[in-house]
Amino acid sequence: EVQLVESGGGLVQPGGSLRLSCAASGFTFSSYWMSWVRQAPGKGLEWVANIKQDGSEKYYVDSVKGRFTISRDNAKNSLYLQMNSLRAEDTAVYYCARDQGSGGDCSGGSCYSDYWGQGTLVTVSS
Amino acid sequence: AIRMTQSPSSFSASTGDRVTITCRASQGISSYLAWYQQKPGKAPKLLIYAASTLQSGVPSRFSGSGSGTDFTLTISCLQSEDFATYYCQQYYSYPSFGPGTKVDIK
């Protein structure tokens, strides 16, 4: 059974940093692109970033470029999101998701997500 | 960036109804479109990808159609467990989601 479990969320002041983790199990983690998707309270879904199987390609939504870094450790079956210079508008539930693409791979980060974690809440407030 | 719109934003329906949700892309995306269902407090669930391919385990009352810029999600006979919010997502380029369509009980 595919399982994705996020952790690391919490309350942080504006300008602060936080590192999210996602522990994957039930599939060969190193064979899949992975994404982070967020959802502000009462709002819709927003793709944040994704990363290729070997970490050689990473893509970000414009609003987080230069502040967030996605990474992975295939030996630990784990995905990460380092978030720096946090703003109030980054407040959201952050989901980790397994990606799929056309023909089974994501060209240039163009993926949809077939499995999602339960999410972890990040609140940016003073 | 490719912008996705959905209509309607919300509506009420009854169990047994046939419902259709529309999604439009700001530019052509071929068939690189997915549909998700989300219930309150839960993670999204993939229903359809490649515009019309049903994800494994998803009931056959769900179907998708369209290509280019205009897409639809149809639920042929609405069940109680289908009351939720539905999102479309393009993956022709960096992924982006529509604003969602909430289906609630009439």
Side-chain angles (χ1 to χ4, degrees), chain A residues 2-99:
Chain A
V2 173
Q3 283 201 317
L4 298 167
V5 179
E6 302 93 338
S7 60
L11 175 64
V12 60
Q13 292 189 338
S17 298
L18 212 55
R19 188 195 196 206
L20 305 184
S21 299
C22 171
S25 61
F27 65 102
T28 305
F29 180 73
S30 59
S31 296
Y32 290 86
W33 282 73
M34 297 293 296
S35 277
W36 288 99
V37 178
R38 67 185 178 183
Q39 187 169 36
K43 303 297 184 182
L45 300 168
E46 180 182 40
W47 170 79
V48 174
N50 60 13
I51 184 169
K52 192 175 180 178
Q53 291 93 330
D54 62 359
S56 62
E57 293 181 38
K58 304 175 185 181
Y59 300 94
Y60 301 90
V61 69
D62 285 348
S63 60
V64 308
K65 282 180 183 175
R67 301 189 299 123
F68 290 11
T69 302
I70 189 172
S71 62
R72 63 191 298 161
D73 185 335
N74 288 341
K76 294 183 178 180
N77 291 338
S78 292
L79 178 72
Y80 305 102
L81 186 67
Q82 177 66 44
M83 304 185 294
N84 298 330
S85 302
L86 282 160
R87 306 166 180 167
E89 54 265 35
D90 296 319
T91 294
V93 173
Y94 284 74
Y95 294 102
C96 161
R98 189 181 84 168
D99 284 346

Side-chain angles (χ1 to χ4, degrees), chain B residues 42-79:
Chain B
K42 300 295 186 182
K45 173 187 174 183
L46 176 68
L47 299 175
I48 287 169
Y49 61 94
S52 61
T53 302
L54 204 63
Q55 171 71 351
S56 175
V58 174
S60 59
R61 63 181 179 272
F62 291 92
S63 63
S65 65
S67 68
T69 59
D70 295 317
F71 302 86
T72 59
L73 172 70
T74 299
I75 310 172
S76 61
C77 182
L78 198 66
Q79 302 298 301

Side-chain angles (χ1 to χ4, degrees), chain B residues 10-19 78 83 102-106:
Chain B
S10 66
F11 67 96
S12 299
S14 300
T15 303
D17 284 352
R18 178 183 180 89
V19 303
L78 198 66
F83 292 100
K102 183 177 181 181
V103 181
D104 60 23
I105 301 173
K106 184 181 288 183

Side-chain angles (χ1 to χ4, degrees), chain A residues 92-124:
Chain A
V93 173
Y94 284 74
Y95 294 102
C96 161
R98 189 181 84 168
D99 284 346
Q100 297 278 10
S102 176
D105 197 13
C106 302
S107 173
S110 302
C111 314
Y112 64 92
S113 301
D114 63 349
Y115 286 95
W116 299 61
Q118 84 290 348
T120 187
L121 176 63
V122 172
T123 303
V124 184

Side-chain angles (χ1 to χ4, degrees), chain B residues 8-45:
Chain B
S9 57
S10 66
F11 67 96
S12 299
S14 300
T15 303
D17 284 352
R18 178 183 180 89
V19 303
T20 298
I21 297 169
T22 298
C23 174
R24 177 166 289 175
S26 60
Q27 67 183 72
I29 59 170
S30 185
S31 296
Y32 295 99
L33 187 99
W35 287 98
Y36 300 87
Q37 176 193 66
Q38 187 180 34
K39 297 180 180 180
K42 300 295 186 182
K45 173 187 174 183

